[in-house]
Amino acid sequence: MDFLEFVSTRQSDRAFDPERPVEKEKIERIVEAARLAPSACNAQPWHLIVVDDPGLKNKVADATSARALGMNHFTKQAPVHIVLVEEKVNLTSGVGGWVKQKDYAQMDLGVIAAHIALATHAEGLGSCILGWFNEPRMREVLSIPDSKRVWLDIAIGYSIQPLRMKKRKPLEEIVSYNCYKSGGRNNKH
């Protein structure tokens, strides 16, 4: 399978087999792929918490669920959650981010989340990246200091959801070459 075919079959899964645990060696390969993710100035501003204890996993899932809004009600089905916590950037990344007015740590956390999602897919598993959760509750459940920011929770398990067609904007709407073009207009430089 080539890379384009591979990414076209990765999806955000919201239905997992709750009776099928994820093998430890698969999780170890996923976190190793995450560890190798690039980051600005090699700052690696992240800490990963792998939650595979069933009772603790259910508490994490409860922190992600907003039943009144119909959001994330599937998260208890996932046998593993990987929670991404922001750590401090190194001096070079911090100064660069300040000078350029860019939050490199947030970008880096997005990159590592993509590595986790793709590595999960490579292991024959499904995943869903969750940004909606009760952050104070997540900190309490996982003993995360109040000074740390919890950015994402990635639910992982054996998907029981059928493959869906991807709904993406057409290339000509999101890509231009050699200058910015929007909505099919040719902007001159």
Side-chain angles (χ1 to χ4, degrees), residues 19-189:
E19 302 302 316
R20 191 168 176 198
V22 175
E23 298 84 351
K24 189 167 187 64
E25 56 274 6
K26 288 188 176 191
I27 295 300
E28 289 171 353
R29 286 191 295 268
I30 291 166
V31 296
E32 177 61 10
R35 187 182 72 85
L36 296 172
S39 60
C41 303
N42 201 28
Q44 304 170 61
W46 48 60
H47 182 88
L48 281 63
I49 302 172
V50 176
V51 182
D52 58 0
D53 173 81
L56 195 56
K57 181 269 305 179
N58 285 338
K59 290 178 181 177
V60 166
D62 285 341
T64 69
S65 189
R67 296 203 192 287
L69 299 173
M71 294 180 67
N72 302 338
H73 57 280
F74 63 92
T75 55
K76 274 192 179 173
Q77 298 172 357
V80 177
H81 288 248
I82 298 179
V83 177
L84 302 182
V85 179
E86 181 182 357
E87 295 293 331
K88 291 199 179 303
V89 296
N90 59 20
L91 181 63
T92 312
S93 180
V95 169
W98 179 78
V99 168
K100 293 297 181 182
Q101 300 284 303
K102 295 182 179 180
D103 190 336
Y104 291 129
Q106 284 188 32
M107 291 182 222
D108 294 341
L109 285 156
V111 171
I112 195 172
H115 269 236
I116 292 168
L118 291 171
T120 299
H121 184 50
E123 293 292 340
L125 299 165
S127 67
C128 188
I129 301 171
L130 306 159
W132 180 283
F133 51 83
N134 181 327
E135 189 173 353
R137 180 75 182 122
M138 192 75 80
R139 274 198 211 95
E140 179 186 330
V141 166
L142 297 175
S143 302
I144 300 167
D146 288 342
S147 61
K148 301 291 181 187
R149 193 71 207 268
V150 184
W151 280 108
L152 297 169
D153 172 24
I154 305 174
I156 296 172
Y158 282 94
S159 177
I160 55 172
Q161 191 166 6
L163 185 63
R164 302 179 307 277
M165 287 295 297
K166 291 196 181 302
K167 296 176 185 174
R168 299 293 189 266
K169 294 178 181 179
L171 277 177
E172 59 274 5
E173 193 176 318
I174 63 164
V175 177
S176 60
Y177 291 88
N178 304 314
C179 70
Y180 181 83
K181 296 175 187 172
S182 176
R185 295 186 320 221
N186 236 344
N187 295 341
K188 298 194 182 209
H189 359 186

